[in-house]
């Protein structure tokens, strides 16, 4: 009996000791915690200001000479351009090709555009028409993007992605800008993205000159070009007796 009791005691002690050793090993080498998954990437900013901002540091010159462009989708080398090219390139990222749209409308409604008066133009030109501010003002108005006929100087009226035009009459110069989604913290006035001579930049020029046109692009509806008015059928001439 004594021998049997001794064996039981030894076995019990070994079991207890084994349990203690296992516990110590677990405490020494705990199971690794699961690594949390990385946060999902932030959604890409596809707003018009973001598309225009991509040109900063890329379009570094202002070049106003006439260039023959491919059609449609034609463009100058990205390093250069004028103020309208900032808008044209940004809107192409949004699926809107002003070169093609303006040309199609001018082919059917040339008399609504100022080309004949301002540039003695007789026919539409897809290389330059969409790069002229007065033409864009007419086109934006015709497709319903004009916000108001009397632009204000209230910063709250200008939303990110709005397109603004103004005319420096002293120097016979028209200009176009995109309203930024950033503001001047001191004045509360939205910044603008444009090329006024030094390449594409973002600055505080929104109210530098009196605003002539205020437009707001629409992306959730197709652009419908106005139909030309029906032509009058000429009356047949009466035969002479």
């Amino acid at each position: 009996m004594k021998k049997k009791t001794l064996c039981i005691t030894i076995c019990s002690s070994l079991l207890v000791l084994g349990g203690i050793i296992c516990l110590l090993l677990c405490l020494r080498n705990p199971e690794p915690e699961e690594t949390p998954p990385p946060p999902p990437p932030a959604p890409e900013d596809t707003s018009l200001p973001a598309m225009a901002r991509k040109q900063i540091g890329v379009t570094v010159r202002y070049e106003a000479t006439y260039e023959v462009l491919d059609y449609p989708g034609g463009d100058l080398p990205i390093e250069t351009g004028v103020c309208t090219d900032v808008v044209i390139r940004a809107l192409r990222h949004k699926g809107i090709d002003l070169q093609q749209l303006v040309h199609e409308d001018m082919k059917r409604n040339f008399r609504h555009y100022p080309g004949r008066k301002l540039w003695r133009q007789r026919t539409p030109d897809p290389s330059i028409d969409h790069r002229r501010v007065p033409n864009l003002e007419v086109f934006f108005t015709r497709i319903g993007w004009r916000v108001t006929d009397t632009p204000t100087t209230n910063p709250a009226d200008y939303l990110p992605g709005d397109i603004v035009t103004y005319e420096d009459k002293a120097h016979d110069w028209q200009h176009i800008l995109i309203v930024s989604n950033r503001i001047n913290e001191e004045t509360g006035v939205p910044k603008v993205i444009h090329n006024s001579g030094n390449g594409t930049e973002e600055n505080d020029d929104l109210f530098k000159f009196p605003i002539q046109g205020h437009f707001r692009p629409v992306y959730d509806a197709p652009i419908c070009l106005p139909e030309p008015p029906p032509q009058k059928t000429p009356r047949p001439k009466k035969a002479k007796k």
Side-chain angles (χ1 to χ4, degrees), residues 149-180:
D149 291 333
T150 54
T152 73
T153 55
N154 181 1
D157 292 336
Y158 296 86
L159 302 182
D162 282 2
I163 297 173
V164 170
T165 63
Y166 57 63
E167 181 178 6
D168 178 5
K169 294 184 178 180
H171 301 90
D172 190 26
W173 181 55
Q174 292 83 29
H175 193 51
I176 192 166
L177 319 88
I178 294 174
V179 178
S180 172

Side-chain angles (χ1 to χ4, degrees), residues 60-64 80-83 173-175 195-199:
V60 294
R61 297 193 304 275
Y62 185 99
E63 181 56 63
T80 189
V82 294
C83 60
W173 181 55
Q174 292 83 29
H175 193 51
N195 184 351
S196 61
N198 300 312

Side-chain angles (χ1 to χ4, degrees), residues 14-36:
L14 290 175
L15 289 173
V16 173
L17 180 60
I20 294 173
I21 292 173
C22 289
L23 179 61
L24 291 175
L25 289 175
C26 290
L27 293 174
R28 183 178 179 182
N29 299 306
E31 293 184 5
E33 296 181 1
E34 292 186 3
T35 304

